[in-house]
Amino acid sequence: MKYSIEPARVHFNQHGMPVSDAFDDIYYSNEDGLAESTYVFLQQNNLASRFQHWQTDTPFIIAETGFGTGLNFLLAMQLFLQQAPSQARLHFVSFERFPLTRDDLQKALSQWPQLAEYCGQLIAQYPPLVSGCHRMSLEGQRVTLDLHFGDVLDSLPDWQQAHKDSVNAWFLDGFAPAKNPQMWQPELYQAMARSAAADCTLATFTAVGAVRRGLQDSGFTVRKVKGFGSKRDMLAGHKLAPAAPRHRKKQRIAIVGAGIAGACLAHRLSRENTELHVFCADSQPAMAASGNAQGAVYPLLHADFTTSSALYAQAFVYASQYYQQHNAANFHTSGVLQLAFNPAQLERQQKIISRKHYPEQLVCAVDAEHASQYAGISLTQQGLYYPVGGWLQPAQVVRQLLQKSAARLHLNAKVTDIQQTKQGWQLTTATETLQVDQLVLANGHELAKLDKQLNSATSGLLDVRPVRGQITRVASNNALSALKTVVCHKGYVTPAQNGTHCIGASFAKEQVEQPARSQDDKENLRLLTEYVPSAQADSLEILDQRASIRATTADHLPLVGAMPRFLAGKDAGRQITHWQGLWVLGGLGSRGFTSAPWCAELLSAQIMQHTKPSGHDLEQALQPDRFARRKLVRGQL
């Protein structure tokens, strides 16, 4: 699989239309690209009528090969907003191997002033060219776009494993089979058929016999219809079986934990047919690991495009857009500098850049001079710069998300017991008992206690590990007041907020002691002098400090999915299954504010059985049962 993404190489012809240099083919008709797209994809899929009658509470899903300029998507969105009931939602999934740059996209879409309102929303959220799925929310969250960057013959078969029988309409687009034969393969048609819902229709501009036979062999009924304009024929098709609309009863869902994980999940689930309850063990949300005065948002990248790289690259792009969209007042896109503090770190950073898995819009190398210019203060080391990274005010973000979710917030409500019932799950605190349909555990390192209660015979299955961290808040001085970016080294320092900076954070594994320690303050200040020599750390006034416990995992990947369950007995043998209706969102570690919005999006899709913002492989890599399954294989369970 290719992980580096090459931008499309295009030029604009005398009509102002984009033309692919690689495939020597136009993106849409010189005559009238808008009319062509409307005729081929909207009319032949009968979308106007289908949108009008879409009464189910599940989104209408369109999938597409070849995003190109996004014209098909924009027209489908426009038609949906014009025709569909006000409560209906559209989910558009598109796969693109050679995406346009933002500048080329903007130039191409400038041809369509009648779509300007929608074009502006797309361009504002258009992601850096990073491999994987990028989720965008438009039109007040009525429309969702999942844009997959990568070879469709890799990404679609992976995606459809978790999305069988889900797509309502297929747009088979892309450059003509004669120009781009690599795409038009049996594997493509087979993956399309497996993902197609019972009512699925399809349309494609081509009428090539091999395409028609490939679609028919995969299970579609296909016919020739009149092509657009002077084109003689095109293909349209459908599945034979009628589909019954899917309706779900209103779900009562409880989330244990009121930090960034629980807040992001509550905010996302509030868009569904749910009654939400959030249980907070403290007197206010964000009193634990999510409660620092300032927190950095930047990814954890590797020189090789690992599972971790895929997660954090996608999650970082999503988080930057998410906070700007939902918490703009508390999120500051200042950029983040990550300095190379020793030769090994420098070599690692150089490999990250040289292997070209990530575009410059995501991360670039900077020397000490340019690092100083970005930071606004003198730095002596080179490193990496994340232009769309930044910092936020964690407690304010968490509380605002919970407020927007309209969830009922249960304060001073430490959950002491959970029990499965015939109706779902029962939660018990010191003062109340609540029955819910679905239960989510998002309470950081305290997850381990409920895990052991549920899976007592195994002393727990999640392998959540506590890591104590302490930040030090100091008054700004002349050396630090000009700081414009977050600067990371062995520690980190944030730009001033009301005349103060956060410095930290210590990293003590397997420690759960909460009281702050003066030696940690001294170490935070000592480390600061290593990367900001001019900071005059000895003269900095310490205002206060804060210690909290992060929750991490052995492989440094979050836990997102169903709660594992161990069964052993004469009939069952020894196996790992799942608790029905019990979910986990945790183990976010030190990058929680980067990963939480995306992980909440994924878990919401799992709970509500909606389209997921990832392929099957990445989803499986985050499953909470992964450590238990490894133990079972090794004979440790």
Side-chain angles (χ1 to χ4, degrees):
M1 182 181 292
K2 294 182 179 179
Y3 297 108
S4 56
I5 297 299
E6 301 173 41
R9 300 190 306 275
V10 301
H11 67 273
F12 290 80
N13 63 19
Q14 68 272 25
H15 304 286
M17 304 301 177
V19 180
S20 169
D21 295 340
F23 297 101
D24 188 28
D25 201 1
I26 55 176
Y27 277 75
Y28 37 72
S29 168
N30 285 322
E31 300 172 24
D32 191 339
L34 189 149
E36 177 189 43
S37 181
T38 299
Y39 175 80
V40 172
F41 295 108
L42 305 190
Q43 293 182 19
Q44 303 310 317
N45 279 292
N46 193 27
L47 291 185
S49 175
R50 296 171 74 190
F51 287 164
Q52 289 171 10
H53 296 92
W54 192 255
Q55 299 292 338
T56 176
D57 58 0
T58 59
F60 189 99
I61 299 174
I62 299 173
E64 172 189 58
T65 61
F67 185 74
T69 65
L71 182 59
N72 295 340
F73 163 66
L74 294 166
L75 288 171
M77 176 168 69
Q78 181 187 53
L79 183 66
F80 180 82
L81 295 170
Q82 291 171 348
Q83 301 293 336
S86 60
Q87 75 278 10
R89 289 177 291 164
L90 174 67
H91 201 124
F92 197 100
V93 183
S94 189
F95 300 85
E96 177 58 66
R97 176 65 185 94
F98 298 102
L100 291 170
T101 64
R102 184 190 296 266
D103 289 343
D104 285 337
L105 179 70
Q106 191 161 12
K107 185 175 180 179
L109 292 178
S110 66
Q111 299 286 329
W112 317 114
Q114 59 270 59
L115 296 173
E117 178 186 355
Y118 308 126
C119 293
Q121 294 182 52
L122 172 61
I123 291 166
Q125 297 190 51
Y126 193 69
L129 307 189
V130 178
S131 177
C133 176
H134 302 282
R135 176 160 289 187
M136 288 157 268
S137 182
L138 301 94
E139 283 297 311
Q141 304 179 4
R142 280 195 70 194
V143 178
T144 299
L145 169 63
D146 282 349
L147 186 47
H148 292 255
F149 288 157
D151 191 328
V152 68
L153 295 183
D154 292 325
S155 48
L156 175 56
D158 178 43
W159 179 85
Q160 63 83 27
Q161 289 187 63
H163 298 93
K164 292 182 173 65
D165 307 321
S166 64
V167 176
N168 303 109
W170 261 105
F171 294 0
L172 183 50
D173 203 355
F175 297 113
K179 302 281 188 177
N180 182 25
Q182 294 88 349
M183 187 194 84
W184 303 82
Q185 298 293 325
E187 307 95 281
L188 171 64
Y189 314 133
Q190 291 161 11
M192 288 174 59
R194 286 192 291 268
S195 70
D199 64 345
C200 184
T201 58
L202 71 89
T204 179
F205 61 88
T206 187
V208 172
V211 175
R212 177 174 52 81
R213 291 188 293 273
L215 290 167
Q216 289 173 332
D217 290 345
S218 299
F220 288 105
T221 297
V222 182
R223 67 189 186 280
K224 283 186 180 181
V225 297
K226 173 68 175 68
F228 174 76
S230 60
K231 189 172 177 60
R232 180 178 175 181
D233 297 312
M234 60 164 283
L235 298 177
H238 64 278
K239 270 193 170 181
L240 289 175
R246 290 188 300 159
H247 293 278
R248 291 174 61 96
K249 72 178 182 70
K250 189 170 187 175
Q251 296 281 295
R252 174 184 282 186
I253 300 176
I255 301 169
V256 180
I260 189 59
C264 284
L265 183 62
H267 182 246
R268 177 60 186 85
L269 285 171
S270 67
R271 291 159 52 186
E272 309 297 339
N273 187 21
T274 56
E275 174 192 322
L276 296 174
H277 296 258
V278 176
F279 284 78
C280 175
D282 303 303
S283 59
Q284 290 293 327
M287 296 289 284
S290 295
N292 292 340
Q294 293 172 278
V297 177
Y298 66 108
L300 177 63
L301 303 181
H302 298 282
D304 295 321
F305 201 84
T306 61
T307 300
S308 178
S309 300
L311 167 67
Y312 282 103
Q314 293 171 216
F316 171 58
V317 172
Y318 183 79
S320 297
Q321 291 287 352
Y322 179 85
Y323 292 128
Q324 289 178 41
Q325 192 170 15
H326 300 292
N327 294 95
N330 298 310
F331 178 62
H332 310 271
T333 311
S334 63
V336 174
L337 283 163
Q338 190 174 27
L339 303 180
F341 52 79
N342 60 31
Q345 179 77 349
L346 176 60
E347 181 181 6
R348 189 183 75 85
Q349 291 186 357
Q350 289 173 338
K351 288 180 180 178
I352 286 176
I353 299 300
S354 65
R355 294 183 184 176
K356 298 182 178 179
H357 293 308
Y358 316 102
E360 288 189 355
Q361 300 99 314
L362 185 76
V363 60
C364 59
V366 291
D367 57 23
E369 179 181 356
H370 285 92
S372 300
Q373 291 175 5
Y374 285 126
I377 62 174
S378 178
L379 300 172
T380 60
Q381 295 166 327
Q382 64 193 78
L384 300 178
Y385 180 59
Y386 302 94
V388 296
W391 63 277
L392 43 68
Q393 295 155 262
Q396 289 91 325
V397 167
V398 169
R399 289 164 191 167
Q400 186 176 8
L401 289 173
L402 287 171
Q403 184 179 15
K404 286 184 175 182
S405 77
R408 181 186 168 191
L409 186 59
H410 302 247
L411 297 174
N412 295 311
K414 185 178 178 63
V415 174
T416 56
D417 184 67
I418 58 176
Q419 297 289 335
Q420 189 177 35
T421 68
K422 291 181 179 179
Q423 294 77 33
W425 289 87
Q426 180 177 284
L427 295 81
T428 302
T429 71
T431 59
E432 66 179 319
T433 298
L434 182 70
Q435 178 73 38
V436 297
D437 300 303
Q438 311 260 4
L439 172 60
V440 182
L441 306 182
N443 55 334
H445 76 284
E446 296 285 345
L447 265 171
K449 295 178 182 178
L450 294 177
D451 177 25
K452 289 177 182 177
Q453 177 200 320
L454 285 166
N455 296 294
S456 56
T458 66
S459 297
L461 299 174
L462 294 179
D463 200 11
V464 176
R465 304 179 180 191
V467 177
R468 181 187 181 278
Q470 180 170 318
I471 60 100
T472 305
R473 198 165 63 96
V474 300
S476 192
N477 61 16
N478 291 335
L480 286 178
S481 61
L483 180 63
K484 298 186 295 185
T485 69
V486 179
V487 180
C488 302
H489 192 258
K490 294 177 184 176
Y492 68 87
V493 59
T494 61
Q497 175 192 6
N498 299 325
T500 68
H501 303 268
C502 276
I503 300 170
S506 60
F507 198 88
K509 296 179 180 180
E510 301 295 336
Q511 291 191 19
V512 293
E513 298 176 2
Q514 293 282 13
R517 303 186 295 218
S518 60
Q519 62 265 36
D520 284 7
D521 289 334
K522 292 177 182 177
E523 180 64 7
N524 285 340
L525 293 177
R526 185 192 71 77
L527 289 175
L528 176 64
T529 62
E530 289 190 11
Y531 56 99
V532 188
S534 63
Q536 303 171 359
D538 292 342
S539 64
L540 284 172
E541 177 189 0
I542 296 176
L543 299 175
D544 56 39
Q545 55 285 115
R546 189 172 188 279
S548 56
I549 311 301
R550 311 178 191 95
T552 188
T553 63
D555 57 9
H556 304 291
L557 291 173
L559 303 167
V560 186
M563 181 74 176
R565 181 181 187 182
F566 177 66
L567 292 179
K570 183 182 296 184
D571 297 327
R574 302 174 70 82
Q575 59 177 307
I576 301 296
T577 62
H578 301 102
W579 292 94
Q580 186 69 31
L582 181 62
W583 308 88
V584 177
L585 178 56
L588 303 186
S590 60
R591 296 292 202 287
F593 280 92
T594 302
S595 62
W598 187 92
C599 289
E601 189 76 24
L602 174 60
L603 185 58
S604 172
Q606 293 174 346
I607 294 172
M608 304 306 297
Q609 299 176 32
H610 289 337
T611 306
K612 296 159 189 169
S614 72
H616 179 72
D617 289 349
L618 180 55
E619 180 188 9
Q620 290 302 303
L622 305 182
Q623 285 296 316
D625 66 4
R626 62 187 185 269
F627 300 110
R629 292 189 181 281
R630 292 167 195 166
K631 288 181 180 179
L632 188 64
V633 170
R634 294 194 295 262
Q636 297 172 334
L637 286 178

